[in-house]
Amino acid sequence: MHKTIHTEVAIIGAGTAGLYALREVRRANKQFVMIDKGPLGTTCARVGCMPSKLALHAGAIRQQINTQAATPLALPNLNQTWATLREQRDTFTDRAIKTTQAAAQNQLITGAARFLDPVTIKITQDNITTLVHAEKVIIANGSRPAVPGWLEPVREYTVSTDEIFELKELPSSIGILGLGAIGMEMGLALSRLGVRVVGADLSSAIAGIGDPLINQQAIQRFGKEMELWLGQPTAVSLAEKGVLLQSGNRQIKVDLLLAALGRRPNLDALNLQEAGFPLNEKGIPVFNPHTMQVEGLPVFLAGDCTSSKTLMHEASAEGSIAGFNAVQNHPVAFKRMVPLGIAFSDPDIFSAGASKAELDKHNIITGLAEGGSNGRARILSEADSLLHIYADAENGTLLGAAGMAPHAEHLAHLLAWAIQRGETAVSLLQMPFYHPVLEEMVQSALQDIVRQLPHKPAWPFGLAPVNHH
Ligand SMILES: Cc1cc2nc3c(=O)[nH]c(=O)nc-3n(C[C@H](O)[C@H](O)[C@H](O)COP(=O)(O)OP(=O)(O)OC[C@H]3O[C@@H](n4cnc5c(N)ncnc54)[C@H](O)[C@@H]3O)c2cc1C
């Protein structure tokens, strides 16, 4: 059976980016169709942000009980904990599915989309072929975990983040390949739940940390909870009921492997090249990050499929830009937010604004604050907390920050907002800092910057005279 649909806007992908795009299209009262191959429920809710944070939370509770109980308590069986996590996760997914169905208003087409040309999309599902001719198209079809071919010999004992939350039985030991934010979060969650974890990465940095001192501190801290094999390749081979990991002179057999080796955009399934899209060397359509428009076409990109800022808040912002611009005669170029990244590693690792590696070391000042000098961090037994703030060496304008501290999700936001607002070390110091709080680490790092400025204010730290401009 064949069906042909003519519409104003077609959105491919009902994930976070697609749903934000849809909101803008509906606000403009345009005709639309939304196409998704399923399952619905968004990566964030089903296999991403939410279940990973639930796992970390479960791990933290178990760790607390284990360390504080005078006598061993009967803890729930680990597989039971994982099943509970799945149930909690399903509440997020179910809500996302309901939101999608309500928002799509019977205009949801189920099936995998392929382009015939940039505004003609073919969807085949259950012997029904639908051809959609759209005036504008939004591509928001997300990404999938990378499971490279060299893992094929051990695939039977390998899971991706799409699969790990579905396990009915957790292993006694697990190897984690790839220690970016996702690999570190999953490794720490599982280790705190009682699984033996060995994490390996070719890079010497964990959680994508771009500041060598913070990285060193984080390795010292988290190396106590999971074995970390860094800076060398790790070979994998089949062992009896598991996988043998080998790196340098180390080797260990684990029951299961988690491939946390990054994510691939799903664009390769869309037949883009043959349909006439201008592609870069990575196979991504050439697009403007301020309008999200693909060069020369009435097509917009949003979310993980762009392969650039693969985070939920960026997917929603890009979806809004793409949706808004798809219903304009002339696309509007929008400002993008400063980068913000958080690993919920407890203590959390974060970066806000530019990373140290991106900045010219001759033109910046780094302000340092250590948990050992912060009352709150010491009360919380988190004296190894560390914060770096990078500022322009001439005028103290804040450019970036990175750190490791308890609940640093909050410090990360505070600093990202200050950087985006164009605050300087002097202006931010004029804000109130309560005592004893972790924010006093920000105060200390800012004071450290001001001490290094070539032109220091005449006033005491944090003060500005009335009527002074
Ligand atoms: C384990 C993990 C933890 C994470 N933690 C965080 C976190 O703490 N904070 C954070 O900000 N981000 C986190 N992320 C990243 C975040 O989840 C993603 O950036 C975000 O969900 C991407 O949304 P999206 O709309 O681009 O993609 P998706 O939500 O994946 O939506 C894409 C949709 O497109 C559909 N689709 C795919 N191909 C086709 C096709 N050919 N035709 C039709 N439909 C198709 C899919 O079915 C899907 O519904 C995490 C990710 C993972 C994996």
Side-chain angles (χ1 to χ4, degrees), residues 182-234:
I182 291 176
M184 280 304 295
E185 285 187 352
M186 291 310 300
L188 290 166
L190 290 165
S191 151
R192 290 165 191 171
L193 284 168
V195 177
R196 174 159 188 206
V197 180
V198 179
D201 202 302
L202 198 53
S203 160
S204 304
I206 58 170
I209 304 176
D211 183 307
L213 256 188
I214 311 261
N215 186 47
Q216 210 180 320
Q217 193 85 336
I219 289 171
Q220 251 176 41
R221 170 73 185 235
F222 300 117
K224 292 177 193 151
E225 295 190 69
M226 56 192 263
E227 221 173 298
L228 296 171
W229 295 5
L230 295 168
Q232 283 197 57
T234 295

Side-chain angles (χ1 to χ4, degrees), residues 12-19 35-45 47-50 52-53 111-114 140-143 145 161-162 165 182 185-186 263 266 269-270 302-305 309-315 342 344:
I12 303 175
T16 301
L19 290 170
I35 306 157
D36 198 288
K37 69 174 180 51
L40 294 180
T42 79
T43 288
C44 174
V47 289
C49 325
M50 306 320 274
S52 57
K53 275 23 138 222
R114 276 174 74 79
N141 75 332
S143 62
T161 48
D162 275 4
F165 300 109
I182 291 176
E185 285 187 352
M186 291 310 300
R263 296 180 63 84
N266 287 328
L270 296 180
D304 275 16
C305 68
K309 300 179 170 188
T310 53
L311 291 168
M312 192 274 184
H313 70 282
E314 295 287 1
I342 301 168
F344 294 82

Side-chain angles (χ1 to χ4, degrees), residues 26 124 132 187 194 242 265:
R26 283 189 54 193
T124 307
V132 174

Side-chain angles (χ1 to χ4, degrees), residues 263-379:
R263 296 180 63 84
R264 295 241 162 89
N266 287 328
L267 296 172
D268 51 354
L270 296 180
N271 198 39
L272 294 179
Q273 188 153 26
E274 294 75 3
F277 280 82
L279 303 181
N280 69 15
E281 65 289 349
K282 291 184 183 157
I284 315 280
V286 182
F287 72 100
N288 177 334
H290 298 283
T291 61
M292 301 312 292
Q293 185 172 12
V294 175
E295 202 174 81
L297 294 175
V299 178
F300 300 81
L301 291 189
D304 275 16
C305 68
T306 64
S307 190
S308 50
K309 300 179 170 188
T310 53
L311 291 168
M312 192 274 184
H313 70 282
E314 295 287 1
S316 55
E318 289 175 356
S320 298
I321 296 174
F324 182 85
N325 278 335
V327 297
Q328 308 301 314
N329 291 330
H330 302 288
V332 176
F334 288 97
K335 286 183 193 162
R336 298 301 300 265
M337 297 170 282
V338 300
L340 172 62
I342 301 168
F344 294 82
S345 40
D346 186 17
D348 302 340
I349 296 165
F350 79 92
S351 67
S355 78
K356 186 155 194 162
E358 284 164 345
L359 295 166
D360 177 353
K361 65 174 186 228
H362 302 296
N363 293 328
I364 60 162
I365 296 171
T366 300
L368 165 79
E370 291 173 323
S373 309
N374 176 277
R376 187 70 175 178
R378 288 173 58 196
I379 289 167

Side-chain angles (χ1 to χ4, degrees), residues 90-102:
D90 289 347
T91 64
F92 290 105
T93 324
D94 291 348
R95 183 188 280 231
I97 293 172
K98 284 200 185 92
T99 306
T100 308
Q101 285 165 340

